[in-house]
Amino acid sequence: MANAAKTLEEVEASYPAFEGLSAFYQRELEPYLIEQEQLRKAAHGKLKKYSAIALSAGAVALLTIWSLGGFSSGWIGFVLAAVVVIAVIGVMAYHTSSVSEVTSRIKGEVLHRLSTFLGFTYNADPISAELDWFRDVRIIPSYDRRSLEDELEGSHEGVSFTLCEAHLEDRRTRTDSDGRTETYYVTVFNGLLARFTFPKPFAARTILTSDGGVIGNFFGGIGKSNERVRLEDPRFEKLFEVFSDDQVEARYLLTPPFMERVSQLADTVGGQLQLAFDGNRLLITINGGSDRFEGAGMFKRADDPGQIAKIASEIGLVFEIIHVLRLNASTRT
């Protein structure tokens, strides 16, 4: 989200669901994080120590090879130098992975405990996140490789939801001047996927997209009767293109108050916002913006309450969407 940093007290005051967050932090999270910070510092200390030793030893080894004429007497010197460089990189990579393992464990446990506090379910490694739904309405681009993490699932004010981080990549190929073909991947989406479910399905499929390039491939997806929906809100028209296979329902959904709320949400989320009403679901994608749900890191203390406030505030995006769009009342008022 594109909000300024908040304290735990400010997050607690932002929505009723966060009531008791500060006390929960002191009781359930702070003792755990103090303990884990010692492990993080120890792993980070080993990384610095052994990286320094490896770099120094590697430099000495390379200088020795050079001084003995290893680089001028044939390929053996270069092979030895490569072995030295690989060994140095290996030592640094091993200890870097140790730090990453600690911080990843802390992140997962924090998200699990915060989710439990809020009555949600947390899944660190979701399998599908129902990606076909998002792909069918073309609010995510086509992709060949995906990476999903940090799925939250639950219900708030009678609205069920799932929220998940997704990194999608498209496979590309290129050919060099010698005719050799190389395959590589390009990131086409890196952000959040959210699904909100309603008891009664919508009669039509209506899509709000901020990317004309994606919508250009959309027409085969909803049938021949789909049309561009023209609206009378110039600010909204600048933010979104709207397509639907039912003009009447689209206008019934996109009332002036609702368009204003969507515009407000677009200013809040810190990424490219797109929406689709499909069946009994409201699907939302937020592409880009800052990294979310990241707490302790290589250079961030695990026991910093500001990091917990940041994660909790980002989980609060669910409340923000439900509140701003008034999904708990009706999307049609």
Side-chain angles (χ1 to χ4, degrees):
M1 296 171 67
N3 296 335
K6 295 180 179 180
T7 64
L8 279 170
E9 292 73 20
E10 288 172 330
V11 174
E12 183 171 354
S14 62
Y15 288 105
F18 282 127
E19 183 179 355
L21 178 63
S22 298
F24 171 79
Y25 170 78
Q26 294 174 0
R27 183 180 67 252
E28 299 289 340
L29 283 177
E30 188 174 34
Y32 168 76
L33 292 174
I34 290 173
E35 174 187 311
Q36 295 300 309
E37 172 60 14
Q38 299 306 310
L39 298 177
R40 188 200 68 85
K41 285 174 65 176
H44 189 238
K46 287 183 178 180
L47 169 63
K48 292 194 293 184
K49 174 183 176 180
Y50 289 107
S51 292
I53 292 174
L55 288 169
S56 299
V60 170
L62 291 174
L63 284 173
T64 301
I65 294 171
W66 175 77
S67 65
L68 294 176
F71 294 116
S72 59
S73 60
W75 57 268
I76 295 179
F78 291 97
V79 171
L80 291 174
V83 171
V84 169
V85 171
I86 291 172
V88 170
I89 293 174
V91 170
M92 296 175 66
Y94 173 79
H95 289 285
T96 298
S97 68
S98 297
V99 178
S100 297
E101 182 180 343
V102 173
T103 57
S104 178
R105 182 177 67 246
I106 295 170
K107 169 189 170 181
E109 185 63 23
V110 166
L111 282 168
H112 170 70
R113 295 191 187 195
L114 282 174
S115 298
T116 302
F117 167 73
L118 293 167
F120 302 159
T121 300
Y122 171 67
N123 183 7
D125 300 301
I127 298 174
S128 69
E130 300 145 341
L131 282 175
D132 287 345
W133 291 346
F134 295 88
R135 185 160 50 183
D136 286 347
V137 295
R138 307 294 178 91
I139 58 173
I140 58 172
S142 61
Y143 63 91
D144 295 297
R145 189 164 68 180
R146 69 189 185 189
S147 174
L148 306 173
E149 64 177 355
D150 299 334
E151 181 181 64
L152 301 176
E153 184 174 5
S155 178
H156 179 66
E157 296 186 355
V159 180
S160 65
F161 71 88
T162 61
L163 180 73
C164 177
E165 284 195 284
H167 180 204
L168 308 178
E169 297 174 290
D170 187 41
R171 185 172 59 243
R172 310 279 175 86
T173 58
R174 58 189 170 204
T175 304
D176 63 20
S177 57
D178 295 325
R180 291 173 297 196
T181 300
E182 176 189 7
T183 299
Y184 63 102
Y185 288 86
V186 174
T187 295
V188 292
F189 183 93
N190 191 17
L192 291 177
L193 309 175
R195 182 268 296 157
F196 298 86
T197 304
F198 303 97
K200 183 179 178 181
F202 302 100
R205 178 182 281 183
T206 300
I207 289 86
L208 288 69
T209 177
S210 56
D211 186 351
V214 173
I215 205 66
N217 295 323
F218 172 76
F219 291 101
I222 63 172
K224 297 180 180 178
S225 61
N226 67 85
E227 295 179 0
R228 171 81 179 271
V229 180
R230 301 291 178 180
L231 302 165
E232 297 181 359
D233 186 331
R235 178 170 180 257
F236 191 83
E237 286 274 347
K238 288 183 180 180
L239 290 173
F240 297 98
E241 295 179 82
V242 180
F243 287 80
S244 179
D245 51 9
D246 187 325
Q247 293 275 320
V248 174
E249 181 171 80
R251 288 186 169 82
Y252 188 43
L253 287 168
L254 302 176
T255 61
F258 185 73
M259 287 190 289
E260 178 59 33
R261 295 195 292 268
V262 173
S263 299
Q264 178 185 340
L265 185 62
D267 292 336
T268 303
V269 296
Q272 184 187 65
L273 177 70
Q274 300 190 116
L275 304 88
F277 298 92
D278 184 38
N280 65 338
R281 300 178 292 269
L282 169 61
L283 305 173
I284 296 177
T285 64
I286 303 169
N287 189 13
S290 60
D291 290 337
R292 296 169 170 88
F293 309 137
E294 297 299 326
M298 193 170 295
F299 304 105
K300 295 179 182 177
R301 294 183 62 90
D303 57 352
D304 177 7
Q307 296 298 323
I308 305 304
K310 176 178 177 292
I311 293 174
S313 181
E314 289 164 346
I315 293 175
L317 177 61
V318 171
F319 309 142
E320 185 80 7
I321 293 171
I322 292 173
H323 173 72
V324 172
L325 299 186
R326 299 183 190 174
L327 302 183
N328 56 327
S330 172
T331 61
R332 305 184 184 195
T333 57

